[in-house]
Amino acid sequence: MNAPTPVLLSLSVRVTRIRTANRKGCIAFGHRVNVESGLNDRASAIVIHVPANIASPSTVAVGGIFEVCGEASTARREHGGYAVTETQLHVQDIRQVRPSGSQVIQWMADNVPRIREVKATKLWDALGERLYEVLDQADHDAIREIVPSDEIRQGLFACWAENGDARTLRFVQDKGIPLDLARKAIKFHQRRTVDALLSDPYRLLSFSGSWRQVDAIARERFAIELEDPRRLAAALEEALYRVSERGHTCATLNDLHETVSKLLKPHAAPSSAMVKALMQGKEKGQFIARETATGDLMLHAPGTYIMERQCADFIRSLLVNPVRQQRLFPTDVDAVIAAFEQAERQHLGTPAFALNDAQRAAVKTSFEHRFSIITGGAGVGKTTVLKALYKALDTLGRPRFQMALSGRATARMVEATHEEATTIAGFLRHASEDEIGESPVIVIDEASMLDLVTFYRLVQKLPLGAHFILVGDPYQLPPIGAGLVLHVLCELEGIPTTRLTEVKRQARDSGIPAAALAIRQGAWPAFSSSETADVAFLSCSDEQIIPTVLRLYEQSRENTQILCATRVCAFAGIDAINNICHAKYVGDAKPLKAINPETGELEFTGFCEGDLLLYTANDWGRNLQNGCLGRLTEVFDNPVKVDVGTEEKPVYRQALGMAIYEGVAQYVLESDVDVMQHAYAITVHKSQGSQFPRVIVLVRKSRVLDRTFIYTAVTRAQVQVILVGDAAAVREAIAFPPKAFARQVALHSMLEGT
């Protein structure tokens, strides 16, 4: 690559993509154009850096043509006989030459067969604002040169006559509403878009617009005053969206006050104005206000309120309607359990095998009730209960679906129960009404991570005759999304719940179960300072965490999994550990290379032969799930064409090497590279549902460190667990209740009728 040389440059640029846009300015991609000559040089890539003091980021719109002037540097890269030139331009002055037309261009690309963005852009470049008139009048002559086909022109004008709306497209363009945001608003409001946004431009918040972006559009383009009640109500609405990002589904005014104040800075709204805004927001349906049993006014975003209400109604309907077996002879559950125990004794070769009292109760409870919970800590035999329960449920002849959120947890269900399983997403996407039937049995494992949106989508898909079983531990990691389901239901009276307590996973003399139980109860466990103990804690400074972990890892690499809280942290992050281990153990090994689609050349992917791998997608055809762990065993000298389909339907792909995932050999395809990560260290979230002989956990004070994090990490170990890092931070995390328990949700009160 040649060294860039700064020069002062002035040129016309069409913006094709915005990389970033924030209070500091924006960075946009584009290419050179010349309106007069018709130049449209897509081969000349230009990156423009526009500081906020030069132009508002909202004014630099995709599709627009801008005259820019600034200091530029040009880089020339040669690849396989051809060159790519890229210009980096730090803008000192910018002026719009022609509006983007991006709205009508995108409309044509989305709606008109055989007209794509390139053709649509040519039409806009040739006609500009006159294009709207041409479309309204179906003027064939005006576009015949660019669209010579009579059939395509007829299709264009027919689509415009049916769905086109020049007034709306012009309006969103004139108001500088970004393309992706405008498309969502138009799709929802259709021909009412102009009136809806004139009435309240803050409606754009509902379509994933950022507060900073929408507030700037409203004040600059719609002349909304700082104290306008619409702005204050929108700030309340935005504050509700933000609390949902922290897991809550509702909040009081006091909870929202700090966030609202930050949104309205530097203007502080008087309380009277906030009351007026609250009333206006309620009338317009921006939020729902509900008085709790304690007299507090609780605010809900309409979406989360509806979801929680419908989930509560669904659960209540299952609770009040008992199971109807519809059989001449009722199932003898005790006899089914006895037969299951006998079969397991023979299969396992363990004459003493038997369910304990709690496991027997769990089988009976979940068989007899249409909604039930099986809960307990790690290794207490929840899967064994499911296997026995399934034998009883088989007597009813109902379709059964077992599922979990993650692909890895789903794979574990298959291994443990020897029955088919699917991710919840897969069930929602693929299961038909005929397959589900009127009274399916639904079993959700690892239910502590079940969030409100996912549960709501299940509720929407399932019939009222469903038989629903949640399996999980509320003291493991909570949902990433908003809401709580398992945690709330485990605490409610009247929910048929069985708690399992006898740990079966570790050896009886292991110290791990006792340590896990202590952590679960908020007590400091008997950590040993000896690195050979079952449960050890090696306290050290931030700077010593990684050296200590690497020394411990060396003692038994094949049996050890390193667990971390976050990806990016110089002292205890996954990236830091993985980079060191990659360089230390396989840095000189054969590198895995893939073809760069832009240059056509083989380039290093960052992986080498021998690397530990984590697969982060679901490929059910190849039995690869999100969370599968493996090792890169072979790197091919050149990509090899392989068949990854079936005998009936071959599917050919380019393979770069071979890997072993969960004991099964798999081709490493070019498409796999983007969903592979190093796995010397993984997050505790990725480890949930898995067990490893030996676990090393990096701990330091962070946003995600709480009791559930420590408990989940410790219970991943079968033989030994060693925590390394800040003991004071861990002691504090264990002492305080899990952060998830502090989430404000309404499911509890809705189920109790308040």
Side-chain angles (χ1 to χ4, degrees):
M1 182 183 292
N2 298 332
T5 304
V7 295
L8 193 64
L9 192 65
S10 178
L11 69 165
S12 294
V13 177
R14 180 192 296 283
V15 173
T16 55
R17 181 162 65 91
I18 305 295
R19 189 174 79 182
T20 61
N22 52 45
R23 61 182 180 178
K24 295 181 180 179
C26 75
I27 301 174
F29 292 88
H31 56 261
R32 293 192 67 167
V33 295
N34 187 305
V35 177
E36 294 180 0
S37 68
L39 171 69
N40 196 21
D41 185 9
R42 293 178 179 271
S44 300
I46 296 173
V47 183
I48 61 172
H49 301 252
V50 187
N53 64 330
I54 299 296
S56 170
S58 63
T59 64
V60 184
V62 171
I65 298 176
F66 297 86
E67 189 73 30
V68 294
C69 179
E71 191 175 84
S73 57
T74 302
R76 178 183 173 85
R77 296 177 295 166
E78 295 187 359
H79 298 279
Y82 66 93
V84 174
T85 302
E86 180 179 278
T87 300
Q88 297 270 346
L89 194 145
H90 293 267
V91 174
Q92 298 171 0
D93 186 46
I94 183 169
R95 180 178 61 86
Q96 188 179 61
V97 176
R98 176 174 289 179
S100 68
S102 57
Q103 313 295 350
V104 69
I105 290 170
Q106 194 61 56
W107 180 90
M108 285 188 281
D110 288 345
N111 293 279
V112 183
R114 298 168 66 184
I115 288 190
R116 296 292 176 258
E117 286 190 35
V118 172
K119 182 84 68 178
T121 301
K122 287 182 179 179
L123 287 170
W124 175 260
D125 285 346
L127 298 167
E129 291 283 339
R130 183 171 166 253
L131 178 59
Y132 294 111
E133 180 183 336
V134 169
L135 293 171
D136 286 339
Q137 297 177 0
D139 186 346
H140 284 261
D141 291 337
I143 64 171
R144 194 182 306 277
E145 185 175 338
I146 297 172
V147 186
S149 167
D150 290 340
E151 181 184 352
I152 296 177
R153 291 198 308 275
Q154 290 286 5
L156 168 60
F157 294 136
C159 284
W160 182 261
E162 182 177 355
N163 300 314
D165 186 352
R167 175 173 175 255
T168 299
L169 295 176
R170 276 176 162 155
F171 174 82
V172 294
Q173 178 175 301
D174 291 344
K175 295 298 185 183
I177 300 173
L179 177 61
D180 58 339
L181 198 55
R183 290 172 75 186
K184 294 173 185 176
I186 293 171
K187 183 177 181 180
F188 181 80
H189 292 293
Q190 298 181 342
R191 292 183 182 271
R192 296 177 290 105
T193 301
V194 175
D195 294 337
L197 296 184
L198 285 173
S199 172
D200 186 357
Y202 288 97
R203 294 181 194 272
L204 292 170
L205 286 172
S206 301
F207 307 105
S208 302
S210 72
W211 170 262
R212 183 183 300 277
Q213 180 186 56
V214 173
D215 190 41
I217 291 170
R219 290 188 291 110
E220 296 171 9
R221 303 300 181 96
F222 290 83
I224 297 292
E225 299 291 335
L226 291 174
E227 292 188 16
D228 191 304
R230 292 173 293 181
R231 182 170 185 258
L232 306 187
L236 277 173
E237 182 184 5
E238 173 68 14
L240 275 173
Y241 290 146
R242 295 193 180 189
V243 298
S244 72
E245 292 172 358
R246 301 198 298 271
H248 307 293
T249 62
C250 52
T252 66
L253 273 175
N254 284 338
D255 297 328
L256 302 176
H257 183 267
E258 182 180 352
T259 301
V260 170
S261 297
K262 289 180 179 178
L263 293 173
L264 297 177
K265 275 185 177 181
H267 174 71
S271 57
S272 58
M274 289 306 300
V275 171
K276 183 178 180 181
L278 175 62
M279 298 304 296
Q280 185 177 87
K282 284 176 58 180
E283 292 173 3
K284 292 170 60 178
Q286 288 173 272
F287 35 77
I288 293 169
R290 182 177 62 91
E291 189 171 326
T292 67
T294 58
D296 291 326
L297 187 66
M298 194 67 72
L299 298 182
H300 302 251
T304 52
Y305 177 85
I306 291 170
M307 285 189 285
E308 277 190 301
R309 174 61 70 188
Q310 293 197 14
C311 289
D313 291 344
F314 177 81
I315 293 170
R316 190 182 295 108
S317 73
L318 300 189
L319 291 173
V320 300
N321 295 305
V323 169
R324 292 181 174 84
Q325 295 193 23
Q326 298 178 341
R327 291 172 61 87
L328 183 61
F329 300 104
T331 301
D332 185 341
V333 179
D334 286 321
V336 172
I337 291 175
F340 168 76
E341 290 174 329
Q342 180 62 31
E344 285 295 288
R345 290 185 197 114
Q346 294 176 356
H347 174 67
L348 298 173
T350 309
F353 174 85
L355 300 185
N356 59 38
D357 290 344
Q359 289 176 310
R360 286 172 172 270
V363 174
K364 292 181 178 180
T365 299
S366 290
F367 179 80
E368 294 168 357
H369 295 87
R370 291 181 58 211
F371 190 91
S372 64
I373 295 172
I374 302 170
T375 186
V380 295
K382 295 189 289 290
T383 301
T384 302
V385 168
L386 288 183
K387 291 168 70 176
L389 174 61
Y390 291 170
K391 296 299 182 183
L393 291 169
D394 283 342
T395 66
L396 303 181
R398 295 173 180 167
R400 182 166 62 247
F401 302 89
Q402 60 171 357
M403 60 191 84
L405 272 170
S406 74
R408 185 166 175 83
T410 301
R412 292 292 181 230
M413 291 186 81
V414 174
E415 292 173 9
T417 64
H418 306 292
E419 292 204 6
E420 289 185 5
T422 181
T423 60
I424 297 176
F427 173 80
L428 292 169
R429 190 164 52 244
H430 300 303
S432 68
E433 286 187 19
D434 289 341
E435 290 173 313
I436 294 171
E438 295 181 356
S439 54
V441 177
I442 306 297
V443 182
I444 309 293
D445 198 13
E446 298 291 348
S448 69
M449 298 188 74
L450 186 62
D451 60 273
L452 175 62
V453 172
T454 304
F455 188 50
Y456 170 75
R457 292 178 65 200
L458 275 169
V459 165
Q460 291 293 99
K461 191 175 182 76
L462 294 175
L464 291 177
H467 188 135
F468 209 98
I469 302 161
L470 293 177
V471 184
D473 181 0
Y475 283 85
Q476 290 199 28
L477 292 175
I480 295 174
L484 287 177
V485 177
L486 183 73
H487 304 67
V488 169
L489 298 177
C490 282
E491 299 301 318
L492 272 177
E493 295 291 336
I495 303 287
T497 302
T498 311
R499 291 177 173 83
L500 307 178
T501 57
E502 183 181 334
V503 177
K504 298 176 177 292
R505 179 178 298 163
Q506 290 88 2
R508 289 190 178 275
D509 58 352
S510 169
I512 294 175
L517 180 61
I519 294 167
R520 202 173 193 270
Q521 296 173 343
W524 184 253
F527 283 124
S528 171
S529 59
S530 169
E531 59 190 55
T532 61
D534 292 347
V535 183
F537 199 121
L538 305 185
S539 181
C540 62
S541 65
D542 281 350
E543 291 76 13
Q544 286 302 310
I545 290 177
I546 289 180
T548 303
V549 166
L550 293 175
R551 179 177 60 77
L552 294 170
Y553 185 57
E554 285 280 355
Q555 295 171 0
S556 183
R557 284 168 47 197
E558 294 301 318
N559 295 311
T560 303
Q561 181 61 60
I562 301 172
L563 301 180
C564 304
T566 58
R567 174 164 295 282
V568 181
C569 172
F571 302 111
I574 289 171
D575 288 346
I577 292 286
N578 281 332
N579 289 339
I580 293 171
C581 289
H582 166 77
K584 183 180 176 97
Y585 299 123
V586 300
D588 295 329
K590 193 173 182 180
L592 184 75
K593 294 183 178 181
I595 296 175
N596 183 320
E598 294 182 2
T599 67
E601 293 192 343
L602 285 172
E603 293 186 353
F604 182 40
T605 63
F607 301 99
C608 289
E609 209 167 71
D611 259 329
L612 298 185
L613 304 175
L614 172 71
Y615 202 78
T616 64
N618 290 320
D619 186 337
W620 295 102
R622 297 160 63 206
N623 196 28
L624 280 171
Q625 291 84 38
N626 186 353
C628 280
L629 294 169
R631 182 188 296 273
L632 183 59
T633 55
E634 182 183 359
V635 171
F636 299 154
D637 292 329
N638 292 293
V640 176
K641 189 176 183 180
V642 298
D643 180 8
V644 295
T646 62
E647 193 172 317
E648 297 79 18
K649 189 177 180 180
V651 177
Y652 294 100
R653 297 285 187 268
Q654 291 291 325
L656 309 176
M658 295 292 297
I660 300 290
Y661 281 107
E662 310 293 339
V664 178
Q666 301 276 3
Y667 285 112
V668 177
L669 308 180
E670 281 191 322
S671 56
D672 291 335
V673 173
D674 290 336
V675 294
M676 287 178 0
Q677 297 175 4
H678 289 113
Y680 302 94
I682 62 175
T683 62
V684 173
H685 268 94
K686 285 293 185 186
S687 76
Q688 191 159 351
S690 301
Q691 300 89 49
F692 311 95
R694 182 171 181 256
V695 167
I696 301 172
V697 189
L698 285 69
V699 287
R700 65 190 298 273
K701 196 172 184 66
S702 73
R703 182 179 56 82
V704 299
L705 185 68
D706 76 344
R707 189 190 302 176
T708 59
F709 175 91
I710 304 299
Y711 174 75
T712 304
V714 167
T715 54
R716 298 311 92 202
Q718 296 169 309
V719 178
Q720 184 188 34
V721 57
I722 307 175
L723 280 71
V724 180
D726 186 346
V730 174
R731 189 179 292 274
E732 180 181 322
I734 292 174
F736 283 94
K739 293 177 182 178
F741 289 16
R743 291 188 184 187
Q744 290 198 129
V745 299
L747 185 61
H748 184 287
S749 59
M750 288 177 174
L751 280 167
E752 293 188 330
T754 59

